[in-house]
Amino acid sequence: MSERTRVLVTYASKMGSTQEIAEAIGRELEAFGMQVTIAPCADNVNPDGFDGVIIGSAIYTRRWVKTATKYLKRHAHRLDRHKTWLFHSGPCGEGAREEQVQAPKAVERVIGSLGLPAPVTFGGRIDVEHATGPVSRWMGAEGPLAGDFRDWDRIRAWATDIAHQLNPATAETQQ
């Protein structure tokens, strides 16, 4: 590839778990020689000029973090349905690694009208150290929702699949 593939990974995270997922996705894409920009949705990085865009959000009570929803709405008209991927993270507890959560209504309205793909769901993390707010601290302190339910192999495999879609030559030159 003469010119490096440019990818934007933008995210909204409350307790850092979604940010860590975005960073892992970015590292995987970089391993395929791609130039990756990782930034919070609040930074409002313009997706123009990127070969691929990945938008991620933490999901709480079936809603994305407001900055992610705003980012998606603000830039939806600039997103190519063949070069845009969405993810959300948050399910905790038994089955969280495999659970697929439907896109929130506000997100569904945007992606449905443009033919963008539904978000992929990744398990989340909740623990006392990262919890923000009394309910999150209580949930992270004990009980079946406490713990790290992110499946790093699945996250990296998803990023690898994106790398192959953006540049099919990467499928032949594995890491």
Side-chain angles (χ1 to χ4, degrees):
M1 128 173 81
S2 58
E3 193 173 308
R4 288 176 60 187
T5 302
R6 295 186 66 225
V7 183
L8 170 64
V9 181
T10 188
Y11 64 89
S13 186
K14 280 190 173 183
M15 294 185 257
S17 177
T18 305
Q19 177 180 347
E20 291 169 355
I21 291 171
E23 291 167 350
I25 291 167
R27 283 191 303 275
E28 192 69 16
L29 296 172
E30 286 172 342
F32 284 97
M34 297 184 178
Q35 182 181 338
V36 179
T37 299
I38 302 169
C41 290
D43 287 359
N44 196 31
V45 176
N46 187 330
D48 291 346
F50 287 94
D51 302 301
V53 177
I54 300 169
I55 304 169
S57 178
I59 188 166
Y60 295 94
T61 63
R62 308 280 188 221
R63 290 187 183 104
W64 273 22
V65 175
K66 284 183 183 178
T67 54
T69 304
K70 285 180 183 178
Y71 183 90
L72 179 62
K73 288 178 180 178
R74 181 179 302 123
H75 297 290
H77 65 283
R78 293 183 168 107
L79 301 174
D80 179 331
R81 64 187 176 124
H82 300 293
K83 295 183 178 188
T84 302
W85 295 266
L86 308 175
F87 76 90
H88 46 223
S89 68
C92 291
E94 188 177 332
R97 286 179 175 85
E98 298 82 30
E99 182 178 352
Q100 288 302 300
V101 176
Q102 184 175 347
K105 285 182 179 18
V107 172
E108 188 63 49
R109 282 191 292 273
V110 176
I111 66 175
S113 65
L114 297 172
L116 295 173
V120 170
T121 306
F122 297 120
R125 176 197 67 211
I126 189 162
D127 57 37
V128 176
E129 181 183 342
H130 297 95
T132 58
V135 174
S136 296
R137 281 194 294 277
W138 173 77
M139 288 170 50
E142 56 188 70
L145 299 182
D148 190 342
F149 300 93
R150 296 171 293 178
D151 182 338
W152 295 106
D153 290 338
R154 186 168 166 258
I155 292 164
R156 284 188 294 273
W158 186 70
T160 296
D161 184 54
I162 290 170
H164 295 336
Q165 290 178 56
L166 286 170
N167 185 356
T170 63
E172 296 154 18
T173 58
Q174 291 296 314
Q175 303 170 336

